[in-house]
Amino acid sequence: MGLQTQPYGIQGMLKEGHKHLSGLDEAVVKNIDACKQLSTITRTSLGPNGMNKMVINHLDKLFVTSDTATIVNELEIQHPAAKILVLAGKAQQEEIGDGANLVVSLAGELLQGAEELIRMGLHPSDIIIGYTKASNKAVEILEGLAEEGSDTMDVRNKVEVILRMKAAVASKQYGQEDILCPLIADACIQVCPKNPMNFNVDNVRVAKLLGGGLHNCTTVRGMVLKGDTVGSIKRIEKAKVVVIAGGVDTTATETKGTVLIHSAEQLENYAKTEEAKVEELIKAVADSGAKVIVSGAAVGEMALHFCERYKIMVLKIGSKFELRRFCRTTGAIALLKLGSAVNPDDLGYVDSISVEEIGGARVTVVRNEQGGNSVTTVLLRASTDSILDDLERAVDDGVNTYKALCRDSRIVPGAAATEIEFARKLKEFSFTETGLDQYAIAKFGESFEMVPKTLAENAGLNAMEIISSLYAEHSCGNVKVGIDLQEGACKDVSTLNIWDLYVTKFHALKYAADAVCTVLRVDQIIMSKPAGGPGRRDQPAGMDNED
Amino acid sequence: MSVRVLNPNAEVLNKSAALHMNINAAKGLQDVLKSNLGPKGTIKMLVGGAGDIKLTKDGNTLLKEMQIQNPTAIMIARTAVAQDDISGDGTTSTVIFIGELMKQAERCIDEGMHPRVLVDGFEIAKKATLQFLEKFKTPVVMGDEPDKETLKMVARTTLRTKLYEDLADQLTDIVVNSVLCVRKPEEAIDLFMVEIMHMRHKFDVDTRLVEGLVLDHGSRHPDMKRRAENCHILTCNVSLEYEKSEINAGFFYSNAEQREAMVAAERRSVDERVRKIIELKNKVCNGTEDNFVVINQKGIDPPSLDLLARAGIVALRRAKRRNMERLVLACGGEAVNSVDDLTPDCLGWAGLVYEHVLGEEKYTFVENVKHPNSCTILIKGPNDHTIAQIKDAVRDGLRAVKNTIEDGAVVRGAGAFEVAARQHLVNEVKKTIKGRAQLGVQAFADALLIVPKTLAENSGLDTQDVIISLTGEHDNGNVVGLNQHTGDPIDPQMEGIFDNYAVKRQIINSGPVIASQLLLVDEVIRAGRNMRKPS
């Protein structure tokens, strides 16, 4: 390309390989298209009857799940607009830990509505104004739908916790929520601190062990560590614990040291002094009353020998974070290294440490029944790794729901009752508006129909019938009527006991509306040449081939 | 050409071809940036080489991110970037103004005018416009207490062109307050004293001003307090970790006892330093509930952390250099480089120090300080591109407020200045000039109108209608700008739409210079080296 033949406009000015899309048709509509495709993928996974997806990521790892956060994460979305949706879904996952599917599917539906409006002749900025108004209105409606009296709850009441957790867990592991929910609720309530606001998700651990079945799942108050103890003592009860962050071994200087030996005698003596020193250290531990040494690094042969002699159990925990958790569980304060004196205040306490064999794997189970606010582990058993992973995600969702309900325990009717109410109220609201945005508001409302529609479709029911009867019930004032997926009929959710958390819905609504407005605001895309490096893999299925 | 003077690979453009290439490039760049201008401008999505997304409306960001290759376009882009460096805003205006000057010039040249004459006209018009700007500006008195309302109006005008309205209005207060916070009488404003920190958390409207400091790391010891009230703060730059000697040293020992002694000796100097800090803590916090926080620029190794934790001290290590300066400004006290002569006077004070954990990131908030001379704008947003967008906008907002305080003047915005300047040039200046330079002045005057024109275009209004109604009002002696919603003339003073004086001056100064340079080019030669892939 010579100077003379440079084309007019931006194309001629950028480096080769750049792409520039602008205008309504090229940028906005294409963006919407990509987002729609993404939401079509996730939509079928919505709700308890949602289908699972099989995703194989670039490392050839297999995921079988209906958890949207995982799906979109592993899909490696490339299209910039679709990516915005993915980011919104991730934000929801990080903030609440559940409802990512609602965000992506709803955003897709809203964009589809926007496309129809654009074809009708509305300008994207009108749609943005309308959508913003509608989402503010929807938040208002949501406030009104919150179940009375649900804002104050006892976060230690198992029944109430399960009630709120059920919908989230059921959407991941339908049919098994009755087994999982009590487990999760138990685990959460046990570690819930005095001020529930400070609930830490990290305190509920998940240990996955292959073999057995769902019925073998249990919770352990304490920790389950993979691997064996170091020494020969495999079981101990009611013991004091000393935790050492560094290794249990002879001390060394930071600067390189050299042993200076002049004679054979000294050589012999050197080994002896060394031994004496280590014995002194281990003896100090034994004298303090501790029966267990937990080490964060390697345990020396010699130290181990003396530990055995003083009947001290030795446990090695390689991960720094795991070690901190262990400290929390037992109430110990980690020492840096073995010193001459061990302060009794720094010792922790365990009810029992034992090595057990579960499903062929040796695990060390640390129990601490007394510590109220420590760590609880949910022990999951299942037949394959991918089921275990999926169960873990369900547990994570449940725990996150608990965290969310500790902050705001308000609930709204589930099973699409809230969504239908949104659709109905927003439609009414749109009639009161006079500008062009009323169309956008109406579309915003209509988009919520996607939820009952998808729920019904995924359950193999006739969606249109269900939606119309839902509308009929709601306009009669029965705002708590949702879909009973098992019977395929419309029922009051208070009899079904399906409730969603207010915060989940609130954030999902906000993030979806936010993402949609961002996508609509863009009218030009400038893409630079994809960076070099190892050739990219074939694009995953369902991705827009635009880029 | 029968005989080639140049390398066969070299490319030559001469006479009108060169000129037109320049003009086309300027127009092309103008086209790209045009839709950004004003509060109703649209957003551009930039996709980087690695697939990362950036959303922006800011001309400067856009020019930086776009990898422009055309030589003329690069020249214009550099002028615009210089504009940003000097005044912090007005990049888009610069680019479209240059583009428009070139466009007007093209028309004249096509009619047979010589570029040199045009350039002379530009020069005269530039001088006249700058003089007019001095008359036109609205002076603002900046005493000890600057008029907050005016500052807010300027900040709002800038921010609304970068972000959507609600968020912009919210940021206005934050930006103005933070500049006033770091402002010291009799001294130039140092915007670096406003720390801009981001957290990927919640929504963009949760962005707030922290009167104090937010550090993007936490204490590294599990037993240190996560939340401490009434804190004495020691800001220091003292290494609290064992450092290997420079020379190659080694120990010789012949039994374990000796080795133990070595181990102890090795740490002694570090422990000594830690002990001094603990002594100070005991002195100032003696018997009270007060807490003690050490913020160290250098490292603190685990044994020292442990000692500090046991003494009930919260310690942060490896603080950023820039934050050390800000900390002292925010909390008081002084940054110490040695622990040898610590006195309670070295300590700063903060009402509240707490840690916030977000996933794997830790943040430490130092808040409730007494007389903050430094503050933090904490930007929140659900994803990176939102944060980046707010960050750029905040930076521009800060600059706008600073400019206003330093200029002591503002310019009525919404296109009012451009229309007024054009009327002044056409009605007054042009008549005083003899000869063909008049046409250059006319071209310059018409080019100024591009700003209101583009504003109208981006709002979906009819450009001609708008310009006619605006010039009509100006001829009647009213200074009016454009109402973006209705297309009617409004009084920018009433609506509180003010631009920076420095920004406008810079645009008027740099635009014609670069346009003149480009117009006077009559030959473009590209060296024979083949930069591109052989096609």
Side-chain angles (χ1 to χ4, degrees):
Chain A
M1 188 163 45
L3 280 174
Q4 285 93 340
T5 57
Q6 289 225 326
Y8 173 74
I10 184 173
Q11 292 282 288
M13 266 179 275
L14 299 172
K15 260 192 190 159
E16 238 172 300
H18 259 82
K19 252 191 198 163
H20 176 240
L21 309 168
S22 72
L24 216 53
D25 280 334
E26 233 183 296
V28 183
V29 176
K30 284 254 170 77
N31 280 346
I32 292 176
D33 234 39
C35 297
K36 259 163 51 190
Q37 289 201 17
L38 176 70
S39 82
T40 340
I41 301 176
T42 59
R43 186 175 302 170
T44 50
S45 297
L46 190 73
N49 280 334
M51 301 305 245
N52 277 348
K53 307 271 172 223
M54 202 179 249
V55 184
I56 300 172
N57 74 356
H58 60 286
L59 297 171
D60 278 334
K61 187 171 183 317
L62 177 68
F63 292 85
V64 181
T65 179
S66 63
D67 183 54
T68 313
T70 318
I71 298 171
V72 292
N73 222 347
E74 300 303 330
L75 270 182
E76 289 183 41
I77 303 289
Q78 292 275 334
H79 193 281
K83 219 167 173 177
I84 289 182
L85 250 61
V86 172
L87 288 174
K90 273 191 193 159
Q92 168 84 5
Q93 185 71 19
E94 276 169 29
E95 198 69 33
I96 305 291
D98 185 31
N101 200 341
L102 185 60
V103 175
V104 178
S105 304
L106 183 62
E109 192 66 20
L110 285 172
L111 283 168
Q112 177 149 19
E115 190 187 357
E116 283 161 26
L117 290 171
I118 288 171
R119 297 217 188 284
M120 248 168 72
L122 257 73
H123 193 265
S125 64
D126 292 325
I127 304 177
I128 293 171
I129 295 171
Y131 274 10
T132 321
K133 264 191 198 164
S135 72
N136 290 341
K137 181 75 189 171
V139 171
E140 261 174 54
I141 300 173
L142 191 64
E143 299 260 345
L145 281 175
E147 187 70 1
E148 260 177 62
S150 63
D151 48 341
T152 50
M153 73 165 278
D154 180 13
V155 292
R156 288 184 179 76
N157 183 336
K158 196 168 158 188
V159 180
E160 293 227 357
V161 171
I162 292 176
L163 183 74
R164 286 164 170 80
M165 198 181 278
K166 213 165 134 189
V169 178
S171 67
K172 300 289 166 331
Q173 290 291 329
Y174 187 51
Q176 291 161 347
E177 72 270 17
D178 288 334
I179 303 170
L180 280 175
C181 281
L183 280 178
I184 304 168
D186 261 342
C188 291
I189 293 167
Q190 273 167 18
V191 298
C192 186
K194 276 195 206 84
N195 179 4
M197 291 290 273
N198 294 337
F199 176 76
N200 188 353
V201 184
D202 201 40
N203 282 344
V204 178
R205 310 295 309 161
V206 175
K208 297 177 283 183
L209 289 168
L210 212 57
L214 201 59
H215 299 278
N216 304 90
C217 294
T218 47
T219 53
V220 176
R221 294 192 86 163
M223 291 173 78
V224 176
L225 306 166
K226 289 223 162 134
D228 206 340
T229 55
V230 182
S232 62
I233 303 167
K234 300 291 181 204
R235 184 171 184 82
I236 204 156
E237 270 176 30
K238 297 203 172 33
K240 290 219 170 107
V241 188
V242 63
V243 179
I244 290 148
V248 179
D249 206 351
T250 51
T251 47
T253 51
E254 301 248 2
T255 313
K256 222 174 174 180
T258 314
V259 183
L260 195 64
I261 287 164
H262 297 294
S263 62
E265 227 163 286
Q266 269 182 344
L267 180 68
E268 209 169 297
N269 280 338
Y270 179 74
K272 277 203 184 121
T273 54
E274 192 102 305
E275 257 172 56
K277 204 75 210 168
V278 174
E279 180 167 10
E280 192 184 306
L281 294 175
I282 303 294
K283 192 162 177 295
V285 173
D287 287 348
S288 73
K291 288 272 172 52
V292 183
I293 293 180
V294 179
S295 160
V299 180
E301 290 278 322
M302 207 189 296
L304 187 61
H305 164 78
F306 284 107
C307 288
E308 296 276 304
R309 187 184 276 180
Y310 285 99
K311 295 272 180 290
I312 293 175
M313 180 187 224
V314 183
L315 203 59
K316 193 183 142 198
I317 300 177
S319 151
K320 195 168 80 181
F321 300 99
E322 199 76 2
L323 197 71
R324 276 193 199 158
R325 266 178 228 123
F326 188 88
C327 288
R328 275 212 300 273
T329 315
T330 58
I333 295 171
L335 300 173
L336 268 173
K337 56 180 187 185
L338 277 177
S340 47
V342 177
N343 192 342
D345 291 344
D346 295 342
L347 295 184
Y349 174 82
V350 287
D351 279 325
S352 77
I353 298 180
S354 59
V355 177
E356 289 172 23
E357 204 173 299
I358 303 177
R362 288 179 91 79
V363 290
T364 311
V365 182
V366 181
R367 284 199 172 79
N368 193 5
E369 308 282 344
Q370 288 182 331
N373 164 24
S374 53
V375 177
T376 304
T377 306
V378 179
L379 197 65
L380 291 178
R381 306 292 315 274
S383 47
T384 69
D385 276 330
S386 64
I387 298 180
L388 275 176
D389 287 343
D390 215 27
L391 280 174
E392 186 188 6
R393 281 189 284 270
V395 173
D396 279 348
D397 276 12
V399 175
N400 277 313
T401 313
Y402 187 79
K403 177 179 152 201
L405 72 83
C406 280
R407 292 191 184 151
D408 187 343
S409 63
R410 275 179 290 171
I411 46 175
V412 291
T418 308
E419 280 79 8
I420 281 292
E421 194 58 17
F422 277 147
R424 201 175 63 87
K425 285 258 178 77
L426 284 173
K427 229 173 247 174
E428 274 171 24
F429 175 62
S430 75
F431 294 137
T432 64
E433 289 290 309
T434 48
L436 273 177
D437 38 348
Q438 58 168 302
Y439 297 108
I441 296 171
K443 267 282 182 277
F444 196 93
E446 213 176 278
S447 304
F448 282 105
E449 280 179 17
M450 177 273 301
V451 176
K453 199 169 123 199
T454 317
L455 285 179
E457 270 173 10
N458 288 349
L461 306 171
N462 186 339
M464 287 335 277
E465 240 169 57
I466 296 266
I467 290 177
S468 57
S469 53
L470 277 175
Y471 269 127
E473 289 277 354
H474 277 248
S475 52
C476 296
N478 304 328
V479 293
K480 280 191 231 158
V481 172
I483 313 174
D484 181 352
L485 289 176
Q486 268 153 353
E487 293 186 17
C490 300
K491 269 192 185 166
D492 197 318
V493 287
S494 42
T495 59
L496 294 171
N497 260 337
I498 302 175
W499 300 95
D500 283 331
L501 274 183
Y502 167 82
V503 275
T504 315
K505 284 268 187 289
F506 172 78
H507 277 92
L509 191 67
K510 276 280 206 184
Y511 282 132
D514 233 37
V516 167
C517 289
T518 312
V519 172
L520 287 177
R521 274 201 193 102
V522 173
D523 85 323
Q524 279 194 21
I525 308 177
I526 300 168
M527 286 192 269
S528 40
K529 194 179 181 179
R536 266 186 296 160
R537 279 168 38 82
D538 289 340
Q539 293 175 336
M543 226 202 47
D544 197 340
N545 285 324
E546 270 311 305
D547 40 66
Chain B
M1 240 188 286
S2 52
V3 183
R4 292 201 64 133
V5 189
L6 292 161
N7 181 328
N9 282 332
E11 290 173 77
V12 189
L13 288 177
N14 44 25
K15 298 283 153 57
S16 69
L19 193 62
H20 277 107
M21 189 203 88
N22 283 341
I23 291 172
N24 274 340
K27 273 161 54 183
L29 203 61
Q30 181 198 19
D31 269 357
V32 179
L33 290 181
K34 214 170 169 179
S35 54
N36 279 354
L37 192 76
K40 291 251 177 170
T42 50
I43 298 182
K44 301 219 173 349
M45 183 188 262
L46 295 162
V47 185
D52 46 322
I53 298 174
K54 190 153 196 181
L55 292 170
T56 186
K57 250 176 107 177
D58 185 38
N60 182 43
T61 321
L62 196 63
L63 288 173
K64 258 195 229 153
E65 300 282 326
M66 277 189 337
Q67 298 171 331
I68 301 171
Q69 264 203 332
N70 182 299
T72 318
I74 291 177
M75 268 177 83
I76 298 173
R78 283 206 189 124
T79 324
V81 172
Q83 165 87 26
D84 184 80
D85 289 345
I86 290 163
S87 57
D89 196 10
T91 31
T92 313
S93 307
T94 311
V95 172
I96 63 169
F97 182 48
I98 295 172
E100 192 62 19
L101 277 173
M102 300 296 281
K103 209 191 252 172
Q104 297 292 344
E106 184 186 24
R107 222 184 56 208
C108 294
I109 291 166
D110 283 350
E111 283 168 9
M113 220 171 137
H114 193 271
R116 176 61 75 188
V117 184
L118 260 179
V119 169
D120 289 345
F122 280 180
E123 189 60 28
I124 297 166
K126 184 181 104 184
K127 276 199 191 121
T129 317
L130 285 172
Q131 275 165 10
F132 179 70
L133 179 64
E134 292 300 325
K135 265 197 298 180
F136 188 80
K137 72 180 182 188
T138 317
V140 183
V141 186
M142 289 294 158
D144 286 340
E145 281 295 314
D147 179 17
K148 233 177 173 178
E149 283 312 309
T150 315
L151 296 180
K152 272 189 194 166
M153 284 182 220
V154 178
R156 191 181 302 131
T157 312
T158 311
L159 287 169
R160 279 201 184 171
T161 64
K162 318 279 174 205
L163 298 166
Y164 63 94
E165 223 172 287
D166 292 347
L167 185 58
D169 291 356
Q170 198 195 349
L171 285 178
T172 306
D173 287 334
I174 296 177
V175 163
V176 172
N177 287 338
S178 61
V179 174
L180 292 181
C181 175
V182 298
R183 177 172 179 265
K184 285 190 223 161
E186 309 300 315
E187 267 180 60
I189 298 168
D190 188 357
L191 286 182
F192 277 113
M193 291 307 120
V194 181
E195 164 84 327
I196 298 176
M197 183 58 72
H198 64 265
M199 281 165 103
R200 218 171 70 194
H201 186 44
K202 290 191 180 166
F203 301 108
D204 44 11
V205 285
D206 291 311
T207 301
R208 69 185 180 107
L209 178 70
V210 177
E211 298 214 328
L213 211 61
V214 182
L215 307 163
D216 57 352
H217 49 110
S219 64
R220 294 299 298 267
H221 197 278
D223 295 337
M224 282 179 185
K225 281 188 188 167
R226 295 279 172 272
R227 187 187 174 87
E229 277 166 24
N230 297 334
C231 306
H232 297 276
I233 293 178
L234 175 67
T235 319
C236 54
N237 183 13
V238 179
S239 169
L240 293 180
E241 60 189 340
Y242 173 74
E243 276 170 29
K244 279 215 166 105
S245 58
E246 303 248 328
I247 48 160
N248 229 341
F251 284 144
F252 291 106
Y253 48 80
S254 38
N255 59 39
E257 299 281 326
Q258 280 176 0
R259 196 190 52 212
E260 292 293 305
M262 299 280 193
V263 171
E266 214 175 27
R267 285 214 55 82
R268 192 175 301 138
S269 64
V270 179
D271 287 347
E272 190 72 10
R273 273 176 248 159
V274 175
R275 206 176 44 77
K276 278 194 179 133
I277 293 176
I278 295 174
E279 256 170 35
L280 182 69
K281 187 249 170 183
N282 291 337
K283 203 155 117 199
V284 293
C285 302
N286 192 15
T288 57
E289 285 290 294
D290 290 4
N291 282 296
F292 197 87
V293 179
V294 176
I295 298 175
N296 195 0
Q297 191 186 330
K298 291 233 171 69
I300 306 177
D301 61 4
S304 307
L305 272 177
D306 206 54
L307 283 173
L308 291 170
R310 275 161 206 274
I313 296 175
V314 179
L316 290 179
R317 68 182 183 192
R318 303 206 193 284
K320 293 198 174 72
R321 167 88 188 77
R322 55 164 208 267
N323 278 340
M324 303 308 285
E325 206 176 324
R326 291 178 186 150
L327 257 175
V328 173
L329 281 172
C331 316
E334 56 184 275
V336 292
N337 285 314
S338 136
V339 289
D340 286 340
D341 32 37
L342 284 177
T343 58
D345 294 340
C346 308
L347 299 175
W349 194 88
L352 179 64
V353 175
Y354 65 96
E355 195 180 293
H356 187 109
V357 185
L358 213 68
E360 304 201 334
E361 310 266 325
K362 282 181 177 176
Y363 297 87
T364 307
F365 287 69
V366 181
E367 270 191 85
N368 295 353
V369 294
K370 272 176 191 157
H371 306 290
N373 276 320
S374 173
C375 55
T376 307
I377 296 179
L378 185 66
I379 297 174
K380 293 192 178 181
N383 39 45
D384 291 338
H385 54 84
T386 316
I387 292 170
Q389 208 181 347
I390 300 175
K391 224 180 205 174
D392 287 338
V394 164
R395 223 199 53 216
D396 287 358
L398 289 173
R399 297 280 292 272
V401 177
K402 179 183 172 224
N403 285 341
T404 314
I405 295 178
E406 286 177 353
D407 293 344
V410 287
V411 180
R412 277 163 279 179
F417 168 70
E418 283 77 8
V419 178
R422 190 241 177 193
Q423 295 307 88
H424 172 76
L425 287 176
V426 174
N427 296 338
E428 320 262 332
V429 182
K430 200 175 142 191
K431 287 172 190 153
T432 63
I433 298 161
K434 295 205 172 62
R436 287 191 294 171
Q438 270 195 12
L439 289 170
V441 176
Q442 178 73 40
F444 188 94
D446 288 341
L448 280 172
L449 281 186
I450 187 66
V451 175
K453 267 187 197 164
T454 315
L455 285 177
E457 202 180 315
N458 287 346
S459 316
L461 302 166
D462 188 285
T463 344
Q464 312 302 330
D465 281 353
V466 166
I467 294 299
I468 286 169
S469 70
L470 285 182
T471 47
E473 284 287 329
H474 275 265
D475 285 340
N476 290 338
N478 304 326
V479 177
V480 290
L482 171 68
N483 183 329
Q484 296 244 299
H485 301 288
T486 59
D488 297 330
I490 44 159
D491 182 1
Q493 190 127 29
M494 297 293 287
E495 299 290 320
I497 304 171
F498 287 109
D499 285 332
N500 270 148
Y501 165 74
V503 172
K504 287 277 181 246
R505 215 182 58 156
Q506 180 67 19
I507 296 174
I508 303 295
N509 253 324
S510 63
V513 171
I514 196 83
S516 307
Q517 276 176 357
L518 291 175
L519 285 175
L520 292 177
V521 168
D522 78 336
E523 202 146 329
V524 179
I525 304 170
R526 200 210 308 260
R529 196 154 63 94
N530 198 356
M531 309 265 281
R532 289 162 190 273
K533 271 180 252 160
S535 49

